[in-house]
Amino acid sequence: MPKLSRRAVLGAAAATLVARPALAFPERTIRIISGYAPGGLNDIVSRAMAQALTPLLGQSVVVENRPGAGGGVGAAAAARAPADGHTLWMGIVDTQAIIPTAYRTQLYDPDRDFAPISLVAHFPFAVAVGPSRPGIRDFEALIAAARAAPGGLTFGSWGVASTSHLAMERILRARGVEMLHVPFTSQAPAMQAIMASQLDCMALPAGGAESLTRDGRTRVVAVIAQRPLDIIPGAPMVKDMGVDLTSGLWKAIYAPARTPPAVVDRLNAAVREAMRAPAFVEIVRQQGAVPEPTTPDELAALQRREREAWGEVVRATGAYIQ
């Protein structure tokens, strides 16, 4: 047998490495972590995305709910997950743009700890008044009731410094009235409290607000949107009633930082395709929105802009958390 030179051996080894196929992705079940309890908008959209992604990726995609700290517990868990693409994070404006300003103690860094995949959609808000205040039939009546009894009315949210909290604060400050804020751990229990007459009102995603009105006792008195909403016809916009506010809630898909670029590209392509699935489009439409796929760079730029904009709201309202 002829002897091989050291150079030949090294060359053969290098050729073997080059010829070896890249690690397949995905290899196993993929999980989407949601930072909120089941039943709210984040859970609904996460499950719709999981269902649409499963046939595209050839592996089961499941949702794992990790509520707490305004979504921060789930975000921290996603940030610490292996960066191999098998853990995704359904981030929202609260977790990606507000928590970095509002929380004194940071559980994670949205820029450093996540690899952007794609925006999902912007979801408009609505202001709903529950059966505890049957005499309040429109927005001006809500403002008048709050002015007549400063701090006497309550409004709920899914946490201090959440978009739900800050949107309502913006409305109240613009109209010069006060209400008592009652934070919950997520959207679903706050909605239940409205229906049980434990809360007077709340700013929440329009799809959730519309579902509350089906009992005939809860009313939507205004929407926070750039244009009228088909799912809540006739509801006025707060921007037409002295409140400079049109933005609601956006959601986006992320992976842990240091996820290989090829995996990020694969996930971006799959997520964009998933957002074209008729079932996913219909679920988003029921929430008053449309899918908005983006590149990772476009999502990163949106996150930076939103952090600056909502940071101003946090500073103005003093909605800091130790």
Side-chain angles (χ1 to χ4, degrees), residues 142-155 168-169 171-181 200-201:
L142 176 64
I143 297 301
R147 182 167 289 116
L153 274 68
T154 59
F155 75 92
M168 201 68 191
E169 289 283 7
I171 291 171
L172 299 177
R173 285 172 173 265
R175 297 302 300 268
V177 297
E178 298 178 10
M179 291 185 191
L180 176 65
H181 175 220
D200 295 323
C201 62

mmCIF file with all atom_site columns, all heavy atoms in Angstrom, residues 142-155 168-169 171-181 200-201:
data_model
loop_
_atom_site.group_PDB
_atom_site.id
_atom_site.type_symbol
_atom_site.label_atom_id
_atom_site.label_alt_id
_atom_site.label_comp_id
_atom_site.label_asym_id
_atom_site.label_entity_id
_atom_site.label_seq_id
_atom_site.pdbx_PDB_ins_code
_atom_site.Cartn_x
_atom_site.Cartn_y
_atom_site.Cartn_z
_atom_site.occupancy
_atom_site.B_iso_or_equiv
_atom_site.pdbx_formal_charge
_atom_site.auth_seq_id
_atom_site.auth_comp_id
_atom_site.auth_asym_id
_atom_site.auth_atom_id
_atom_site.pdbx_PDB_model_num
ATOM 1   N N   . LEU A 1 142 ? -68.010 58.338 28.564 1.00 0.00 ? 142 LEU A N   1
ATOM 2   C CA  . LEU A 1 142 ? -66.961 57.751 29.395 1.00 0.00 ? 142 LEU A CA  1
ATOM 3   C C   . LEU A 1 142 ? -66.068 58.835 29.987 1.00 0.00 ? 142 LEU A C   1
ATOM 4   O O   . LEU A 1 142 ? -65.752 58.816 31.179 1.00 0.00 ? 142 LEU A O   1
ATOM 5   C CB  . LEU A 1 142 ? -66.123 56.778 28.551 1.00 0.00 ? 142 LEU A CB  1
ATOM 6   C CG  . LEU A 1 142 ? -64.907 56.154 29.250 1.00 0.00 ? 142 LEU A CG  1
ATOM 7   C CD1 . LEU A 1 142 ? -65.335 55.279 30.419 1.00 0.00 ? 142 LEU A CD1 1
ATOM 8   C CD2 . LEU A 1 142 ? -64.074 55.354 28.243 1.00 0.00 ? 142 LEU A CD2 1
ATOM 9   N N   . ILE A 1 143 ? -65.683 59.782 29.155 1.00 0.00 ? 143 ILE A N   1
ATOM 10  C CA  . ILE A 1 143 ? -64.832 60.881 29.633 1.00 0.00 ? 143 ILE A CA  1
ATOM 11  C C   . ILE A 1 143 ? -65.589 61.720 30.668 1.00 0.00 ? 143 ILE A C   1
ATOM 12  O O   . ILE A 1 143 ? -65.032 62.114 31.702 1.00 0.00 ? 143 ILE A O   1
ATOM 13  C CB  . ILE A 1 143 ? -64.368 61.752 28.452 1.00 0.00 ? 143 ILE A CB  1
ATOM 14  C CG1 . ILE A 1 143 ? -63.510 60.921 27.486 1.00 0.00 ? 143 ILE A CG1 1
ATOM 15  C CG2 . ILE A 1 143 ? -63.607 62.968 28.952 1.00 0.00 ? 143 ILE A CG2 1
ATOM 16  C CD1 . ILE A 1 143 ? -62.267 60.317 28.095 1.00 0.00 ? 143 ILE A CD1 1
ATOM 17  N N   . ALA A 1 144 ? -66.855 61.988 30.421 1.00 0.00 ? 144 ALA A N   1
ATOM 18  C CA  . ALA A 1 144 ? -67.650 62.779 31.361 1.00 0.00 ? 144 ALA A CA  1
ATOM 19  C C   . ALA A 1 144 ? -67.775 62.069 32.715 1.00 0.00 ? 144 ALA A C   1
ATOM 20  O O   . ALA A 1 144 ? -67.693 62.705 33.777 1.00 0.00 ? 144 ALA A O   1
ATOM 21  C CB  . ALA A 1 144 ? -69.033 63.057 30.778 1.00 0.00 ? 144 ALA A CB  1
ATOM 22  N N   . ALA A 1 145 ? -67.975 60.752 32.700 1.00 0.00 ? 145 ALA A N   1
ATOM 23  C CA  . ALA A 1 145 ? -68.090 59.998 33.949 1.00 0.00 ? 145 ALA A CA  1
ATOM 24  C C   . ALA A 1 145 ? -66.775 60.027 34.715 1.00 0.00 ? 145 ALA A C   1
ATOM 25  O O   . ALA A 1 145 ? -66.764 60.148 35.955 1.00 0.00 ? 145 ALA A O   1
ATOM 26  C CB  . ALA A 1 145 ? -68.503 58.564 33.654 1.00 0.00 ? 145 ALA A CB  1
ATOM 27  N N   . ALA A 1 146 ? -65.658 59.930 34.005 1.00 0.00 ? 146 ALA A N   1
ATOM 28  C CA  . ALA A 1 146 ? -64.357 59.986 34.666 1.00 0.00 ? 146 ALA A CA  1
ATOM 29  C C   . ALA A 1 146 ? -64.085 61.372 35.242 1.00 0.00 ? 146 ALA A C   1
ATOM 30  O O   . ALA A 1 146 ? -63.519 61.505 36.337 1.00 0.00 ? 146 ALA A O   1
ATOM 31  C CB  . ALA A 1 146 ? -63.260 59.602 33.674 1.00 0.00 ? 146 ALA A CB  1
ATOM 32  N N   . ARG A 1 147 ? -64.514 62.396 34.532 1.00 0.00 ? 147 ARG A N   1
ATOM 33  C CA  . ARG A 1 147 ? -64.302 63.766 35.031 1.00 0.00 ? 147 ARG A CA  1
ATOM 34  C C   . ARG A 1 147 ? -65.169 64.045 36.255 1.00 0.00 ? 147 ARG A C   1
ATOM 35  O O   . ARG A 1 147 ? -64.744 64.751 37.178 1.00 0.00 ? 147 ARG A O   1
ATOM 36  C CB  . ARG A 1 147 ? -64.611 64.762 33.911 1.00 0.00 ? 147 ARG A CB  1
ATOM 37  C CG  . ARG A 1 147 ? -64.388 66.216 34.304 1.00 0.00 ? 147 ARG A CG  1
ATOM 38  C CD  . ARG A 1 147 ? -64.402 67.137 33.106 1.00 0.00 ? 147 ARG A CD  1
ATOM 39  N NE  . ARG A 1 147 ? -63.209 66.968 32.286 1.00 0.00 ? 147 ARG A NE  1
ATOM 40  C CZ  . ARG A 1 147 ? -63.193 66.537 31.039 1.00 0.00 ? 147 ARG A CZ  1
ATOM 41  N NH1 . ARG A 1 147 ? -64.340 66.211 30.452 1.00 0.00 ? 147 ARG A NH1 1
ATOM 42  N NH2 . ARG A 1 147 ? -62.062 66.428 30.365 1.00 0.00 ? 147 ARG A NH2 1
ATOM 43  N N   . ALA A 1 148 ? -66.339 63.453 36.294 1.00 0.00 ? 148 ALA A N   1
ATOM 44  C CA  . ALA A 1 148 ? -67.239 63.682 37.428 1.00 0.00 ? 148 ALA A CA  1
ATOM 45  C C   . ALA A 1 148 ? -66.777 62.969 38.692 1.00 0.00 ? 148 ALA A C   1
ATOM 46  O O   . ALA A 1 148 ? -67.120 63.385 39.805 1.00 0.00 ? 148 ALA A O   1
ATOM 47  C CB  . ALA A 1 148 ? -68.656 63.217 37.062 1.00 0.00 ? 148 ALA A CB  1
ATOM 48  N N   . ALA A 1 149 ? -65.993 61.893 38.518 1.00 0.00 ? 149 ALA A N   1
ATOM 49  C CA  . ALA A 1 149 ? -65.534 61.135 39.695 1.00 0.00 ? 149 ALA A CA  1
ATOM 50  C C   . ALA A 1 149 ? -64.074 60.755 39.487 1.00 0.00 ? 149 ALA A C   1
ATOM 51  O O   . ALA A 1 149 ? -63.757 59.616 39.119 1.00 0.00 ? 149 ALA A O   1
ATOM 52  C CB  . ALA A 1 149 ? -66.387 59.884 39.895 1.00 0.00 ? 149 ALA A CB  1
ATOM 53  N N   . PRO A 1 150 ? -63.132 61.704 39.709 1.00 0.00 ? 150 PRO A N   1
ATOM 54  C CA  . PRO A 1 150 ? -61.709 61.426 39.471 1.00 0.00 ? 150 PRO A CA  1
ATOM 55  C C   . PRO A 1 150 ? -61.241 60.184 40.241 1.00 0.00 ? 150 PRO A C   1
ATOM 56  O O   . PRO A 1 150 ? -61.401 60.098 41.462 1.00 0.00 ? 150 PRO A O   1
ATOM 57  C CB  . PRO A 1 150 ? -61.019 62.686 39.981 1.00 0.00 ? 150 PRO A CB  1
ATOM 58  C CG  . PRO A 1 150 ? -62.046 63.765 39.868 1.00 0.00 ? 150 PRO A CG  1
ATOM 59  C CD  . PRO A 1 150 ? -63.349 63.085 40.170 1.00 0.00 ? 150 PRO A CD  1
ATOM 60  N N   . GLY A 1 151 ? -60.710 59.225 39.507 1.00 0.00 ? 151 GLY A N   1
ATOM 61  C CA  . GLY A 1 151 ? -60.237 57.996 40.129 1.00 0.00 ? 151 GLY A CA  1
ATOM 62  C C   . GLY A 1 151 ? -61.333 57.029 40.505 1.00 0.00 ? 151 GLY A C   1
ATOM 63  O O   . GLY A 1 151 ? -61.057 55.956 41.054 1.00 0.00 ? 151 GLY A O   1
ATOM 64  N N   . GLY A 1 152 ? -62.572 57.368 40.200 1.00 0.00 ? 152 GLY A N   1
ATOM 65  C CA  . GLY A 1 152 ? -63.687 56.514 40.587 1.00 0.00 ? 152 GLY A CA  1
ATOM 66  C C   . GLY A 1 152 ? -63.965 55.384 39.612 1.00 0.00 ? 152 GLY A C   1
ATOM 67  O O   . GLY A 1 152 ? -64.576 54.383 39.980 1.00 0.00 ? 152 GLY A O   1
ATOM 68  N N   . LEU A 1 153 ? -63.533 55.548 38.374 1.00 0.00 ? 153 LEU A N   1
ATOM 69  C CA  . LEU A 1 153 ? -63.687 54.489 37.374 1.00 0.00 ? 153 LEU A CA  1
ATOM 70  C C   . LEU A 1 153 ? -62.387 53.688 37.293 1.00 0.00 ? 153 LEU A C   1
ATOM 71  O O   . LEU A 1 153 ? -61.299 54.217 37.562 1.00 0.00 ? 153 LEU A O   1
ATOM 72  C CB  . LEU A 1 153 ? -64.016 55.057 36.001 1.00 0.00 ? 153 LEU A CB  1
ATOM 73  C CG  . LEU A 1 153 ? -65.505 55.320 35.705 1.00 0.00 ? 153 LEU A CG  1
ATOM 74  C CD1 . LEU A 1 153 ? -66.040 56.450 36.564 1.00 0.00 ? 153 LEU A CD1 1
ATOM 75  C CD2 . LEU A 1 153 ? -65.706 55.612 34.223 1.00 0.00 ? 153 LEU A CD2 1
ATOM 76  N N   . THR A 1 154 ? -62.502 52.434 36.906 1.00 0.00 ? 154 THR A N   1
ATOM 77  C CA  . THR A 1 154 ? -61.328 51.573 36.781 1.00 0.00 ? 154 THR A CA  1
ATOM 78  C C   . THR A 1 154 ? -61.112 51.167 35.332 1.00 0.00 ? 154 THR A C   1
ATOM 79  O O   . THR A 1 154 ? -62.056 51.028 34.559 1.00 0.00 ? 154 THR A O   1
ATOM 80  C CB  . THR A 1 154 ? -61.485 50.304 37.626 1.00 0.00 ? 154 THR A CB  1
ATOM 81  O OG1 . THR A 1 154 ? -62.648 49.589 37.205 1.00 0.00 ? 154 THR A OG1 1
ATOM 82  C CG2 . THR A 1 154 ? -61.603 50.639 39.101 1.00 0.00 ? 154 THR A CG2 1
ATOM 83  N N   . PHE A 1 155 ? -59.845 50.984 34.971 1.00 0.00 ? 155 PHE A N   1
ATOM 84  C CA  . PHE A 1 155 ? -59.530 50.398 33.669 1.00 0.00 ? 155 PHE A CA  1
ATOM 85  C C   . PHE A 1 155 ? -58.481 49.317 33.873 1.00 0.00 ? 155 PHE A C   1
ATOM 86  O O   . PHE A 1 155 ? -57.612 49.420 34.728 1.00 0.00 ? 155 PHE A O   1
ATOM 87  C CB  . PHE A 1 155 ? -59.068 51.451 32.656 1.00 0.00 ? 155 PHE A CB  1
ATOM 88  C CG  . PHE A 1 155 ? -57.663 51.975 32.852 1.00 0.00 ? 155 PHE A CG  1
ATOM 89  C CD1 . PHE A 1 155 ? -56.587 51.389 32.200 1.00 0.00 ? 155 PHE A CD1 1
ATOM 90  C CD2 . PHE A 1 155 ? -57.424 53.076 33.675 1.00 0.00 ? 155 PHE A CD2 1
ATOM 91  C CE1 . PHE A 1 155 ? -55.295 51.886 32.367 1.00 0.00 ? 155 PHE A CE1 1
ATOM 92  C CE2 . PHE A 1 155 ? -56.138 53.574 33.849 1.00 0.00 ? 155 PHE A CE2 1
ATOM 93  C CZ  . PHE A 1 155 ? -55.064 52.983 33.193 1.00 0.00 ? 155 PHE A CZ  1
ATOM 94  N N   . MET A 1 168 ? -54.249 53.544 27.294 1.00 0.00 ? 168 MET A N   1
ATOM 95  C CA  . MET A 1 168 ? -55.324 54.157 28.085 1.00 0.00 ? 168 MET A CA  1
ATOM 96  C C   . MET A 1 168 ? -54.823 55.403 28.805 1.00 0.00 ? 168 MET A C   1
ATOM 97  O O   . MET A 1 168 ? -55.536 56.415 28.888 1.00 0.00 ? 168 MET A O   1
ATOM 98  C CB  . MET A 1 168 ? -55.882 53.140 29.078 1.00 0.00 ? 168 MET A CB  1
ATOM 99  C CG  . MET A 1 168 ? -57.271 53.470 29.577 1.00 0.00 ? 168 MET A CG  1
ATOM 100 S SD  . MET A 1 168 ? -58.501 53.323 28.256 1.00 0.00 ? 168 MET A SD  1
ATOM 101 C CE  . MET A 1 168 ? -59.917 54.093 29.056 1.00 0.00 ? 168 MET A CE  1
ATOM 102 N N   . GLU A 1 169 ? -53.601 55.357 29.298 1.00 0.00 ? 169 GLU A N   1
ATOM 103 C CA  . GLU A 1 169 ? -53.022 56.536 29.948 1.00 0.00 ? 169 GLU A CA  1
ATOM 104 C C   . GLU A 1 169 ? -52.923 57.696 28.962 1.00 0.00 ? 169 GLU A C   1
ATOM 105 O O   . GLU A 1 169 ? -53.187 58.860 29.326 1.00 0.00 ? 169 GLU A O   1
ATOM 106 C CB  . GLU A 1 169 ? -51.643 56.212 30.522 1.00 0.00 ? 169 GLU A CB  1
ATOM 107 C CG  . GLU A 1 169 ? -51.656 55.307 31.742 1.00 0.00 ? 169 GLU A CG  1
ATOM 108 C CD  . GLU A 1 169 ? -52.059 56.024 33.023 1.00 0.00 ? 169 GLU A CD  1
ATOM 109 O OE1 . GLU A 1 169 ? -52.468 57.197 32.963 1.00 0.00 ? 169 GLU A OE1 1
ATOM 110 O OE2 . GLU A 1 169 ? -51.967 55.401 34.092 1.00 0.00 ? 169 GLU A OE2 1
ATOM 111 N N   . ILE A 1 171 ? -54.866 58.292 26.452 1.00 0.00 ? 171 ILE A N   1
ATOM 112 C CA  . ILE A 1 171 ? -56.221 58.809 26.240 1.00 0.00 ? 171 ILE A CA  1
ATOM 113 C C   . ILE A 1 171 ? -56.649 59.680 27.407 1.00 0.00 ? 171 ILE A C   1
ATOM 114 O O   . ILE A 1 171 ? -57.157 60.803 27.224 1.00 0.00 ? 171 ILE A O   1
ATOM 115 C CB  . ILE A 1 171 ? -57.208 57.639 26.047 1.00 0.00 ? 171 ILE A CB  1
ATOM 116 C CG1 . ILE A 1 171 ? -56.932 56.933 24.717 1.00 0.00 ? 171 ILE A CG1 1
ATOM 117 C CG2 . ILE A 1 171 ? -58.654 58.141 26.097 1.00 0.00 ? 171 ILE A CG2 1
ATOM 118 C CD1 . ILE A 1 171 ? -57.701 55.648 24.542 1.00 0.00 ? 171 ILE A CD1 1
ATOM 119 N N   . LEU A 1 172 ? -56.448 59.186 28.614 1.00 0.00 ? 172 LEU A N   1
ATOM 120 C CA  . LEU A 1 172 ? -56.893 59.925 29.801 1.00 0.00 ? 172 LEU A CA  1
ATOM 121 C C   . LEU A 1 172 ? -56.140 61.241 29.945 1.00 0.00 ? 172 LEU A C   1
ATOM 122 O O   . LEU A 1 172 ? -56.751 62.274 30.277 1.00 0.00 ? 172 LEU A O   1
ATOM 123 C CB  . LEU A 1 172 ? -56.700 59.055 31.046 1.00 0.00 ? 172 LEU A CB  1
ATOM 124 C CG  . LEU A 1 172 ? -57.489 57.735 31.070 1.00 0.00 ? 172 LEU A CG  1
ATOM 125 C CD1 . LEU A 1 172 ? -57.148 56.940 32.321 1.00 0.00 ? 172 LEU A CD1 1
ATOM 126 C CD2 . LEU A 1 172 ? -58.988 58.000 30.990 1.00 0.00 ? 172 LEU A CD2 1
ATOM 127 N N   . ARG A 1 173 ? -54.840 61.219 29.716 1.00 0.00 ? 173 ARG A N   1
ATOM 128 C CA  . ARG A 1 173 ? -54.051 62.446 29.836 1.00 0.00 ? 173 ARG A CA  1
ATOM 129 C C   . ARG A 1 173 ? -54.440 63.461 28.767 1.00 0.00 ? 173 ARG A C   1
ATOM 130 O O   . ARG A 1 173 ? -54.492 64.663 29.030 1.00 0.00 ? 173 ARG A O   1
ATOM 131 C CB  . ARG A 1 173 ? -52.559 62.119 29.738 1.00 0.00 ? 173 ARG A CB  1
ATOM 132 C CG  . ARG A 1 173 ? -52.005 61.474 31.005 1.00 0.00 ? 173 ARG A CG  1
ATOM 133 C CD  . ARG A 1 173 ? -50.579 60.973 30.811 1.00 0.00 ? 173 ARG A CD  1
ATOM 134 N NE  . ARG A 1 173 ? -50.048 60.512 32.080 1.00 0.00 ? 173 ARG A NE  1
ATOM 135 C CZ  . ARG A 1 173 ? -49.306 61.245 32.905 1.00 0.00 ? 173 ARG A CZ  1
ATOM 136 N NH1 . ARG A 1 173 ? -48.993 62.487 32.576 1.00 0.00 ? 173 ARG A NH1 1
ATOM 137 N NH2 . ARG A 1 173 ? -48.861 60.750 34.041 1.00 0.00 ? 173 ARG A NH2 1
ATOM 138 N N   . ALA A 1 174 ? -54.713 62.971 27.558 1.00 0.00 ? 174 ALA A N   1
ATOM 139 C CA  . ALA A 1 174 ? -55.099 63.888 26.485 1.00 0.00 ? 174 ALA A CA  1
ATOM 140 C C   . ALA A 1 174 ? -56.409 64.595 26.797 1.00 0.00 ? 174 ALA A C   1
ATOM 141 O O   . ALA A 1 174 ? -56.610 65.748 26.410 1.00 0.00 ? 174 ALA A O   1
ATOM 142 C CB  . ALA A 1 174 ? -55.205 63.121 25.164 1.00 0.00 ? 174 ALA A CB  1
ATOM 143 N N   . ARG A 1 175 ? -57.305 63.901 27.506 1.00 0.00 ? 175 ARG A N   1
ATOM 144 C CA  . ARG A 1 175 ? -58.599 64.492 27.829 1.00 0.00 ? 175 ARG A CA  1
ATOM 145 C C   . ARG A 1 175 ? -58.670 65.039 29.247 1.00 0.00 ? 175 ARG A C   1
ATOM 146 O O   . ARG A 1 175 ? -59.712 65.537 29.680 1.00 0.00 ? 175 ARG A O   1
ATOM 147 C CB  . ARG A 1 175 ? -59.707 63.460 27.610 1.00 0.00 ? 175 ARG A CB  1
ATOM 148 C CG  . ARG A 1 175 ? -59.840 62.997 26.162 1.00 0.00 ? 175 ARG A CG  1
ATOM 149 C CD  . ARG A 1 175 ? -60.114 64.142 25.198 1.00 0.00 ? 175 ARG A CD  1
ATOM 150 N NE  . ARG A 1 175 ? -61.338 64.832 25.519 1.00 0.00 ? 175 ARG A NE  1
ATOM 151 C CZ  . ARG A 1 175 ? -62.523 64.535 25.014 1.00 0.00 ? 175 ARG A CZ  1
ATOM 152 N NH1 . ARG A 1 175 ? -62.631 63.548 24.140 1.00 0.00 ? 175 ARG A NH1 1
ATOM 153 N NH2 . ARG A 1 175 ? -63.598 65.201 25.351 1.00 0.00 ? 175 ARG A NH2 1
ATOM 154 N N   . GLY A 1 176 ? -57.570 64.975 29.989 1.00 0.00 ? 176 GLY A N   1
ATOM 155 C CA  . GLY A 1 176 ? -57.486 65.604 31.307 1.00 0.00 ? 176 GLY A CA  1
ATOM 156 C C   . GLY A 1 176 ? -58.329 64.945 32.380 1.00 0.00 ? 176 GLY A C   1
ATOM 157 O O   . GLY A 1 176 ? -58.884 65.646 33.240 1.00 0.00 ? 176 GLY A O   1
ATOM 158 N N   . VAL A 1 177 ? -58.443 63.606 32.364 1.00 0.00 ? 177 VAL A N   1
ATOM 159 C CA  . VAL A 1 177 ? -59.231 62.899 33.374 1.00 0.00 ? 177 VAL A CA  1
ATOM 160 C C   . VAL A 1 177 ? -58.388 61.785 33.993 1.00 0.00 ? 177 VAL A C   1
ATOM 161 O O   . VAL A 1 177 ? -57.315 61.424 33.482 1.00 0.00 ? 177 VAL A O   1
ATOM 162 C CB  . VAL A 1 177 ? -60.525 62.306 32.782 1.00 0.00 ? 177 VAL A CB  1
ATOM 163 C CG1 . VAL A 1 177 ? -61.432 63.413 32.261 1.00 0.00 ? 177 VAL A CG1 1
ATOM 164 C CG2 . VAL A 1 177 ? -60.220 61.315 31.658 1.00 0.00 ? 177 VAL A CG2 1
ATOM 165 N N   . GLU A 1 178 ? -58.890 61.216 35.097 1.00 0.00 ? 178 GLU A N   1
ATOM 166 C CA  . GLU A 1 178 ? -58.171 60.167 35.806 1.00 0.00 ? 178 GLU A CA  1
ATOM 167 C C   . GLU A 1 178 ? -59.062 58.940 35.993 1.00 0.00 ? 178 GLU A C   1
ATOM 168 O O   . GLU A 1 178 ? -60.268 59.061 36.171 1.00 0.00 ? 178 GLU A O   1
ATOM 169 C CB  . GLU A 1 178 ? -57.722 60.651 37.193 1.00 0.00 ? 178 GLU A CB  1
ATOM 170 C CG  . GLU A 1 178 ? -56.763 61.818 37.180 1.00 0.00 ? 178 GLU A CG  1
ATOM 171 C CD  . GLU A 1 178 ? -56.414 62.270 38.588 1.00 0.00 ? 178 GLU A CD  1
ATOM 172 O OE1 . GLU A 1 178 ? -56.777 61.548 39.550 1.00 0.00 ? 178 GLU A OE1 1
ATOM 173 O OE2 . GLU A 1 178 ? -55.804 63.345 38.738 1.00 0.00 ? 178 GLU A OE2 1
ATOM 174 N N   . MET A 1 179 ? -58.428 57.774 35.957 1.00 0.00 ? 179 MET A N   1
ATOM 175 C CA  . MET A 1 179 ? -59.072 56.514 36.325 1.00 0.00 ? 179 MET A CA  1
ATOM 176 C C   . MET A 1 179 ? -58.072 55.686 37.117 1.00 0.00 ? 179 MET A C   1
ATOM 177 O O   . MET A 1 179 ? -56.862 55.933 37.075 1.00 0.00 ? 179 MET A O   1
ATOM 178 C CB  . MET A 1 179 ? -59.520 55.724 35.084 1.00 0.00 ? 179 MET A CB  1
ATOM 179 C CG  . MET A 1 179 ? -60.662 56.315 34.299 1.00 0.00 ? 179 MET A CG  1
ATOM 180 S SD  . MET A 1 179 ? -61.152 55.163 32.973 1.00 0.00 ? 179 MET A SD  1
ATOM 181 C CE  . MET A 1 179 ? -62.249 56.201 32.020 1.00 0.00 ? 179 MET A CE  1
ATOM 182 N N   . LEU A 1 180 ? -58.569 54.698 37.828 1.00 0.00 ? 180 LEU A N   1
ATOM 183 C CA  . LEU A 1 180 ? -57.719 53.799 38.593 1.00 0.00 ? 180 LEU A CA  1
ATOM 184 C C   . LEU A 1 180 ? -57.299 52.636 37.704 1.00 0.00 ? 180 LEU A C   1
ATOM 185 O O   . LEU A 1 180 ? -58.146 51.924 37.155 1.00 0.00 ? 180 LEU A O   1
ATOM 186 C CB  . LEU A 1 180 ? -58.462 53.263 39.823 1.00 0.00 ? 180 LEU A CB  1
ATOM 187 C CG  . LEU A 1 180 ? -57.717 52.228 40.671 1.00 0.00 ? 180 LEU A CG  1
ATOM 188 C CD1 . LEU A 1 180 ? -56.476 52.861 41.304 1.00 0.00 ? 180 LEU A CD1 1
ATOM 189 C CD2 . LEU A 1 180 ? -58.635 51.647 41.742 1.00 0.00 ? 180 LEU A CD2 1
ATOM 190 N N   . HIS A 1 181 ? -55.986 52.427 37.601 1.00 0.00 ? 181 HIS A N   1
ATOM 191 C CA  . HIS A 1 181 ? -55.458 51.339 36.780 1.00 0.00 ? 181 HIS A CA  1
ATOM 192 C C   . HIS A 1 181 ? -55.411 50.048 37.583 1.00 0.00 ? 181 HIS A C   1
ATOM 193 O O   . HIS A 1 181 ? -54.882 50.010 38.696 1.00 0.00 ? 181 HIS A O   1
ATOM 194 C CB  . HIS A 1 181 ? -54.051 51.687 36.287 1.00 0.00 ? 181 HIS A CB  1
ATOM 195 C CG  . HIS A 1 181 ? -53.376 50.576 35.533 1.00 0.00 ? 181 HIS A CG  1
ATOM 196 N ND1 . HIS A 1 181 ? -52.042 50.284 35.691 1.00 0.00 ? 181 HIS A ND1 1
ATOM 197 C CD2 . HIS A 1 181 ? -53.864 49.697 34.615 1.00 0.00 ? 181 HIS A CD2 1
ATOM 198 C CE1 . HIS A 1 181 ? -51.727 49.266 34.904 1.00 0.00 ? 181 HIS A CE1 1
ATOM 199 N NE2 . HIS A 1 181 ? -52.808 48.895 34.245 1.00 0.00 ? 181 HIS A NE2 1
ATOM 200 N N   . ASP A 1 200 ? -64.358 48.606 34.844 1.00 0.00 ? 200 ASP A N   1
ATOM 201 C CA  . ASP A 1 200 ? -65.266 49.457 34.067 1.00 0.00 ? 200 ASP A CA  1
ATOM 202 C C   . ASP A 1 200 ? -64.927 49.487 32.585 1.00 0.00 ? 200 ASP A C   1
ATOM 203 O O   . ASP A 1 200 ? -65.830 49.497 31.740 1.00 0.00 ? 200 ASP A O   1
ATOM 204 C CB  . ASP A 1 200 ? -65.257 50.874 34.630 1.00 0.00 ? 200 ASP A CB  1
ATOM 205 C CG  . ASP A 1 200 ? -65.809 50.943 36.045 1.00 0.00 ? 200 ASP A CG  1
ATOM 206 O OD1 . ASP A 1 200 ? -66.764 50.197 36.342 1.00 0.00 ? 200 ASP A OD1 1
ATOM 207 O OD2 . ASP A 1 200 ? -65.268 51.714 36.863 1.00 0.00 ? 200 ASP A OD2 1
ATOM 208 N N   . CYS A 1 201 ? -63.647 49.516 32.252 1.00 0.00 ? 201 CYS A N   1
ATOM 209 C CA  . CYS A 1 201 ? -63.284 49.634 30.842 1.00 0.00 ? 201 CYS A CA  1
ATOM 210 C C   . CYS A 1 201 ? -61.860 49.153 30.632 1.00 0.00 ? 201 CYS A C   1
ATOM 211 O O   . CYS A 1 201 ? -61.121 48.856 31.581 1.00 0.00 ? 201 CYS A O   1
ATOM 212 C CB  . CYS A 1 201 ? -63.449 51.073 30.348 1.00 0.00 ? 201 CYS A CB  1
ATOM 213 S SG  . CYS A 1 201 ? -62.387 52.268 31.188 1.00 0.00 ? 201 CYS A SG  1
#
